[in-house]
């Protein structure tokens, strides 16, 4: 055999070994991982309903610091991913953000609402609340972007958002864009 033939065979053997080793399916979760998941699920089954009840009570009593503390626990425990019936993620993030707003902590509200929007990107209520947090912080450009995103991607005929956006455009001297939104409002 010539040198080229040996090199080709060696190359093919190495390539075959590489392909075979890459085709091995990844191993599943270990027994430890499954046991930890079962433990966390068990804790969630007990704690999440209690925490959600406490959060609702504190919210209705307007005890904003306690509301924030409990919703923080809810999110840290993963109740927002546990059971959408007992712990609806859109409500968790919305009420969590509102509690921060009531305390005048709009930057914290923004942070919470961004986490909510990350998990539920198509939720209009969270996005409107986020725009409000931007407004209260004087982040006008981000507020405009959020309203435009709602109209472009989620609800093109949302009258409230169009009205707020038209006002922002006027305030910013963006009159052509304001007129475009107002004409759209007239046609609805």
């Amino acid at each position: 055999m010539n040198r080229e033939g040996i090199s080709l065979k060696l190359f093919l053997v190495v390539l075959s070994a590489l392909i075979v080793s890459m085709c091995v399916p990844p191993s599943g979760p270990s027994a430890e991982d499954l046991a930890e998941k079962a433990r966390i699920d068990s804790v969630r089954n007990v704690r999440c309903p209690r925490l959600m009840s406490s959060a609702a009570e504190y919210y209705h009593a307007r005890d904003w610091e306690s509301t924030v503390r409990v919703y923080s626990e809810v999110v840290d425990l993963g109740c927002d991913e546990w059971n959408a019936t007992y712990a609806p993620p859109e409500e968790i993030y919305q009420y969590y953000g509102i509690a921060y707003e009531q305390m005048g902590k709009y930057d914290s509200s923004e942070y919470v609402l961004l986490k909510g929007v990350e998990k539920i990107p198509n939720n209009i209520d969270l996005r409107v609340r986020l725009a409000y947090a931007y407004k209260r912080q004087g982040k006008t450009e981000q507020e405009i972007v959020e309203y435009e995103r709602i109209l472009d991607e989620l609800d093109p005929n949302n009258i409230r958002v169009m009205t707020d956006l038209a006002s922002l455009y006027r305030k910013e001297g963006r009159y052509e864009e304001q007129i475009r939104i107002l004409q759209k409002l007239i046609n609805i």
Side-chain angles (χ1 to χ4, degrees), residues 89-105:
E90 59 277 358
E91 289 181 15
I92 290 171
Y93 290 103
Q94 185 169 355
Y95 296 139
Y96 192 4
I98 290 170
Y100 271 126
E101 288 173 11
Q102 294 297 323
M103 295 167 61
K105 296 182 178 182

Side-chain angles (χ1 to χ4, degrees), residues 58-97:
Y58 288 132
Y59 184 90
H60 291 294
R62 300 180 162 291
D63 182 348
W64 306 122
E65 288 181 15
S66 297
T67 301
V68 164
R69 181 181 44 78
V70 172
Y71 275 125
S72 176
E73 282 186 64
V74 165
V75 172
D76 289 346
L77 187 56
C79 297
D80 57 328
E81 299 171 358
W82 166 68
N83 183 321
T85 301
Y86 294 113
E90 59 277 358
E91 289 181 15
I92 290 171
Y93 290 103
Q94 185 169 355
Y95 296 139
Y96 192 4

